[in-house]
Amino acid sequence: MDVALSKSRTPQLLACVLAGIGLALLGGCGKAPEPPMPKVLPQVILIEADLPPRPMKPDLPPLFDDIERRTFQFFWDTTNEQNGLTPDRYPSRPFASIASVGFALTSYPIGIENGWVSRNQAVERTLLTLRFFRDLPSGPQRTGKAGYKGFYYHFLDMQQGRRYDSWVELSSVDTALLLMGVLFAQSYYDQDDPREKEIRQIADTLYKRVDWQWLQRNKPLVSMGWFPESGFIQHDWMGYNEAMMLYVLALGSPTHPVEPDTWTVWSRTYDNDWGVYQGQEYLSFGPLFGHQYSHVWIDFRDIQDAYMRERGIDYFLNSRRATLAQREYAIENPMQWKDYSANVWGLTAGDGPQNTTQEYKGEQRQFRHYSARGAGLRENFDDGTIVPSAAISSLPYAPEVVIPATVEMHKRYGDYLYSSYGFLDSFNPSFSYDIPLKTGRLIPERGWVASDYIAIDQGPILAGIANYRDEFVWEVMKKNPYIRKGLERAGFTGGWLAPEDSFQPLQKDEQAASARASGIAESRAAAAAEQKAASQQPAPPAAKKQ
């Protein structure tokens, strides 16, 4: 499944690079140069494409007002009014998800700002939620507990808030999603009202008691989680994916912080995921949620860690490139799925029809139910299932392609895909097989459509629209000292992290970039040569007429 740029080395290709020939001409160097290649390689400067301009900010059509309101109502209506627990999905509502609660806590201030709920209502709901989590039982026992060492189980019983079942893990990244909502509430509710003061105090308690060091099975990295039955999950969070926020939280902790070099180690594998895909050069992660979740709360515009300084961009522009690349993938549509186009696209984690293999266009294709789907250099899987959240949640990065895609999907599929709480989770026009389904239903002549809304897909839609309109979630979160400290300990500088009177634009660390340049240039040269060679191969005579 890895699609990496070729790293083959040939004297001819190296000679092209060392001769300083432009990348556009690399593919045309076919003979070994004279004199022979020198033994000591001179410095090679990475040739970067010009940075794209900041995306324009077109006006949102009225549809987005409706999506925003309906998506907010999902969180307000489905959350348990007795304890603040938000279901993982609705209407099936099997259990609560702690990540869903993090998005719900973020949604309530959006409701206040839009006049959909009063501040008093949101304060009461938020305080109820935080008190409930503060008082839930904790311990290493297999049953009857909600969490341990400050972390919480991924899924909780909707009524009692205890671990839902033995297959549910104590989850580090889902605890991080919960905490982002908790700290957002801490920064938003800033009035002298005793209840708002209590919100801030409980938020502090919940954050400070997370023992990040306990989950460091392989320091300085953090494990994905823990089971009371079997211990630590053997996999650690290693870049690049949605766990950026986890390490920002862990680095910013005033009680149990991880080591200063954690971010360096986390990003050590970034080079494996940097490359060119669908005409975009970026740090790749196939499903779009990896480019969205941390961005819900953190404004990555113009702030850079060491790696992004080498590349001369930031994580915001990186997510823009990932979004544009996925759209180009849908336009190319290499698997020939039905309806994929410039305005029908979006691969991320979401519901699907069933785990099954069926014949499609003369070949066997694998389909899945709930799964991560994506297109990029790695983590690729595509079974024709489109998740509207994948596109809509990228609104802040690429509005010029997200807005028409949202309007088109609503126009073409809205009669069965758009309902009480906005877009249902997903749909698959290519799936029309008469077999038992895991979830959802078949629509005659239209394919499969999900029957649930999923909270972790709803949350980025709501926050993405709010951040696009007026940067609301980002601006509130910038006030949180723990987030700022975590970013600074990770090595982020510039932008809004710099003093107000010394704003720093994006930087490019030429020395660090050139240290990587030789291998990257060789890879591009090899790819160009291979492409040229392939284009010069004559097609089989019989194939031309068929």
Side-chain angles (χ1 to χ4, degrees), residues 396-444:
Y397 324 125
E400 76 279 18
V401 299
V402 169
I403 293 172
T406 305
V407 171
E408 179 72 12
M409 286 189 281
H410 178 266
K411 178 181 178 181
R412 293 181 63 175
Y413 314 108
D415 57 341
Y416 61 89
L417 182 64
Y418 194 78
S419 191
S420 303
Y421 298 125
F423 284 98
L424 289 162
D425 191 62
S426 51
F427 65 106
N428 189 327
S430 302
F431 192 97
S432 58
Y433 305 98
D434 186 15
I435 63 171
L437 300 173
K438 176 71 175 181
T439 185
R441 66 192 191 280
L442 293 180
I443 307 295

Side-chain angles (χ1 to χ4, degrees), residues 94-97 140-147 152-158 160-171 226-230:
F95 37 68
S97 157
Q141 293 82 4
R142 300 183 180 188
T143 59
K145 304 298 179 183
Y152 290 91
Y153 286 102
H154 190 165
F155 299 123
L156 303 176
D157 174 83
M158 276 293 295
Q160 301 302 317
R162 283 19 175 207
R163 183 191 188 194
Y164 182 73
D165 207 338
S166 60
W167 51 267
V168 177
E169 84 284 12
L170 195 77
S171 173
W226 176 82
F227 288 91
E229 295 85 359
S230 56

Side-chain angles (χ1 to χ4, degrees), residues 305-321:
D305 60 1
Y307 190 87
M308 285 300 172
R309 279 191 294 274
E310 294 177 17
R311 299 299 184 182
I313 66 169
D314 57 33
Y315 286 100
F316 176 89
L317 287 173
N318 195 77
S319 290
R320 171 174 171 78
R321 294 179 180 186

